[in-house]
Amino acid sequence: MIDRKKELVVNTLIIGIGNLFTKAISFLLVPFFTIWLTTKEYGDYDLLFSYVSLFVPFLSMQLEQAVLRFTLEDKNKGTVYFKTGFTYLLITSILFIPLALFAIKFEYQLPFVFCTVTYAWQVYSIEYLRGLNELRKYSIANIFCGLCTIFLSFFMLSILNRGVGGLLTAFGLSYLLTSIYIFFSTKLYIDLSIKIFDISVFKKLIYYSFPLLPNAISWWITSVSDRTIINIFLGSSFNGIYAVSTKIPTLITVFYSIFNLAWQQSAIVSSSDKYEIRKEFYNATYEKLFSFLFTSSLVVVTITPFLYRYLLGYDYISGIYIVPTLILSTLFLNLSQYQGGILLGQKDTKTNGVTTVIAAVLNLIINFLLISQIGLYAAAFSTLFSYIILFYLRLNKLKGLFEKKKILTQMAQASILLYIISFLSINLGYLWLQIILLASAGLYFIYINKHMFKTVVNKIRRK
């Protein structure tokens, strides 16, 4: 039990070094994007990038998740797993390029295709590093990708003034350079050819990964299909406003995503532990995670007025009122992903997939029913409702490991308090009240998580 906790802390710290840098960039670049791009251009970019994330799972068939899972179990076969899967990915990429270029014509076609293919390669390569437990190399690769993104985005937008196409190209080049770095740093280029494709290994990988494809598509629907619907019914400018408002909760997601990557590995490894040991480990981790996410949500919702006042363009101000709902959505999403890590550790990809599909369908239905009546509020509410259902369904599946009634009561109380604080901070709009609430939320965050901070500091000192 103690070893599992130590392992989780250490993995989180190592992954966090690189991942925090990379994830933070996606938020820190937003103010510059709002300066360099109009609301329409930002809406177009955000929508196109959401389609990049949709096409990538089709190219890879989620094989990176299978390679991660089986390499963690047997690192000696890691190279065979990687090369077999990557050979398949190269073939699908070669087929995808002419199909995408000639099947559908649109303004930013070439940079979109380039970004999609290179992103698939980067995701696949970097997940392999996690499978090898090469977390330091994983962090270095993320930092390298982040630095490339900063430099190339500035070069394409500020110097060359290439707009949306230039931004997609900048991201695509960053992914390509990162993949090349991983290939050479791990010497994966050795004997990489179609001849090393192992059909029996491929069958093993695809049997595990294929059920995750509907899950990935459903995640896309629940996470970013809102942009497509907004673009159709309300237009690109509204999509740009909504896209910026969704960036605020990434302040929470940045830190959770770091934990989640480490958690997936711990959940997989701990799945072989005895039931009572696993139950104690999962509950202890959940309580600390909930405390951190909830107090983080309070800080983010109280800092939101200052972000819109001092960092984001005035054209985006109308999105501030849906931010609290999106923050609460993120809280339910992150806790659902925590549950999903446990299910993956148990190799229950079916439950992960089915619950995500249900959430995705509900998201679409609510969006279509309400978008023309209440506009952007429909997109935010549909996201929140779908994640609440996702959280409930997974909790119900794992009710033998968790106290269901206690957790549901806890989440209801947290939701009510978050909305009360957001109303006082955002809707009333008094600067003195906003400052008091932000200071109070910050102090509360530090007080509740002080033991976690002490643990992290001690680990860093020992390192």
Side-chain angles (χ1 to χ4, degrees):
M1 176 66 174
I2 297 176
D3 290 340
R4 294 299 185 207
K5 288 183 178 179
K6 286 183 178 179
E7 181 183 56
L8 180 58
V9 172
V10 171
N11 287 349
T12 302
L13 284 173
I14 297 173
I15 290 175
I17 294 171
N19 231 55
L20 178 60
F21 181 80
T22 306
K23 297 293 183 182
I25 286 171
S26 66
F27 177 80
L28 295 175
L29 284 176
V30 171
F32 297 101
F33 291 166
T34 59
I35 294 172
W36 293 329
L37 302 173
T38 65
T39 55
K40 182 182 182 305
E41 286 177 326
Y42 191 89
D44 288 339
Y45 152 72
D46 186 75
L47 183 63
L48 285 171
F49 201 84
S50 73
Y51 280 106
V52 169
S53 64
L54 172 63
F55 281 108
V56 165
F58 285 101
L59 287 177
S60 67
M61 293 299 290
Q62 294 292 92
L63 286 174
E64 72 276 2
Q65 295 299 317
V67 171
L68 165 65
R69 182 68 175 84
F70 292 117
T71 303
L72 277 172
E73 285 186 344
D74 188 355
K75 293 180 178 59
N76 293 326
K77 293 184 178 179
T79 303
V80 177
Y81 293 141
F82 176 88
K83 292 181 177 179
T84 297
F86 194 76
T87 302
Y88 173 83
L89 180 57
L90 284 176
I91 294 171
T92 57
S93 298
I94 292 170
L95 294 174
F96 171 75
I97 292 172
L99 180 64
L101 288 176
F102 297 108
I104 304 175
K105 300 290 184 181
F106 57 96
E107 187 176 357
Y108 308 108
Q109 189 176 35
L110 187 59
F112 170 80
V113 173
F114 174 67
C115 187
T116 302
V117 171
T118 55
Y119 186 43
W121 295 352
Q122 188 256 10
V123 169
Y124 185 88
S125 302
I126 210 162
E127 287 299 290
Y128 177 62
L129 289 179
R130 287 179 60 209
L132 292 174
N133 215 26
E134 293 280 1
L135 299 184
R136 287 178 175 81
K137 286 184 179 179
Y138 173 87
S139 291
I140 292 171
N142 273 307
I143 292 172
F144 178 76
C145 186
L147 291 173
C148 289
T149 302
I150 293 173
F151 173 77
L152 291 170
S153 296
F154 175 79
F155 182 74
M156 288 290 182
L157 292 181
S158 182
I159 297 178
L160 296 184
N161 196 28
R162 295 293 298 275
V164 176
L167 191 55
L168 289 172
T169 302
F171 276 87
L173 286 171
S174 300
Y175 299 142
L176 177 61
L177 291 172
T178 304
S179 299
I180 293 172
Y181 162 76
I182 294 172
F183 263 66
F184 282 91
S185 66
T186 55
K187 298 181 179 180
L188 287 168
Y189 54 85
I190 299 175
D191 296 329
L192 186 62
S193 66
I194 295 179
K195 293 181 180 179
I196 56 92
F197 185 85
D198 190 319
I199 189 64
S200 62
V201 170
F202 177 73
K203 288 180 180 178
K204 179 181 179 180
L205 295 175
I206 203 70
Y207 181 79
Y208 178 88
S209 70
F210 186 74
L212 296 175
L213 182 59
N215 185 54
I217 298 169
S218 299
W219 272 126
W220 182 87
I221 294 173
T222 54
S223 302
V224 296
S225 64
D226 300 338
R227 275 86 148 172
T228 301
I229 297 173
I230 290 171
N231 199 63
I232 294 172
F233 286 91
L234 304 178
S236 295
S237 293
F238 280 94
N239 192 44
I241 293 170
Y242 183 77
V244 169
S245 67
T246 62
K247 298 299 181 184
I248 306 298
T250 60
L251 288 169
I252 304 169
T253 307
V254 161
F255 294 98
Y256 175 77
S257 61
I258 296 166
F259 165 84
N260 191 47
L261 291 173
W263 169 244
Q264 286 180 0
Q265 293 188 225
S266 294
I268 290 171
V269 175
S270 66
S271 62
S272 59
D273 293 341
K274 292 181 180 179
Y275 176 80
E276 290 302 323
I277 294 177
R278 281 188 289 123
K279 183 176 180 179
E280 184 184 353
F281 175 51
Y282 294 158
N283 278 274
T285 307
Y286 177 87
E287 286 299 323
K288 292 176 181 177
L289 177 63
F290 171 80
S291 296
F292 177 81
L293 290 175
F294 174 62
T295 54
S296 297
S297 299
L298 292 178
V299 172
V300 174
V301 82
T302 54
I303 204 175
T304 295
F306 299 96
L307 294 175
Y308 272 92
R309 183 179 287 120
Y310 299 114
L311 290 181
L312 304 176
Y314 181 78
D315 292 341
Y316 297 87
I317 190 65
S318 60
I320 192 173
Y321 300 105
I322 62 174
V323 170
T325 299
L326 294 173
I327 290 173
L328 186 58
S329 301
T330 301
L331 177 61
F332 277 98
L333 168 62
N334 291 162
L335 293 173
S336 298
Q337 290 175 325
Y338 171 82
Q339 297 164 339
I342 298 174
L343 293 169
L344 282 178
Q346 297 174 347
K347 294 185 179 180
D348 189 0
T349 54
K350 180 181 178 181
T351 297
N352 259 350
V354 170
T355 54
T356 311
V357 168
I358 293 173
V361 171
L362 289 173
N363 181 283
L364 284 176
I365 292 173
I366 295 172
N367 255 320
F368 279 114
L369 289 177
L370 300 180
I371 193 75
S372 58
Q373 279 75 40
I374 58 177
L376 296 181
Y377 290 95
F381 175 74
S382 65
T383 300
L384 173 60
F385 184 76
S386 63
Y387 287 152
I388 290 174
I389 296 302
L390 179 67
F391 173 80
Y392 177 81
L393 291 175
R394 291 185 175 180
L395 177 62
N396 193 57
K397 178 68 176 181
L398 298 169
K399 60 185 177 182
L401 292 169
F402 297 97
E403 294 182 42
K404 179 180 173 182
K405 184 176 180 180
K406 175 186 175 182
I407 288 178
L408 291 177
T409 302
Q410 187 181 54
M411 291 301 294
Q413 294 171 342
S415 301
I416 293 171
L417 181 58
L418 187 67
Y419 270 122
I420 291 174
I421 298 299
S422 67
F423 175 79
L424 295 174
S425 182
I426 294 173
N427 294 77
L428 294 185
Y430 299 117
L431 180 60
W432 62 269
L433 181 59
Q434 291 170 341
I435 294 173
I436 292 173
L437 289 172
L438 176 57
S440 301
L443 291 173
Y444 183 60
F445 172 81
I446 294 171
Y447 174 75
I448 292 296
N449 300 290
K450 61 180 182 295
H451 295 298
M452 181 188 68
F453 293 141
K454 287 180 181 178
T455 302
V456 170
V457 170
N458 290 335
K459 289 290 180 184
I460 294 174
R461 285 176 177 174
R462 290 172 188 172
K463 288 288 178 182

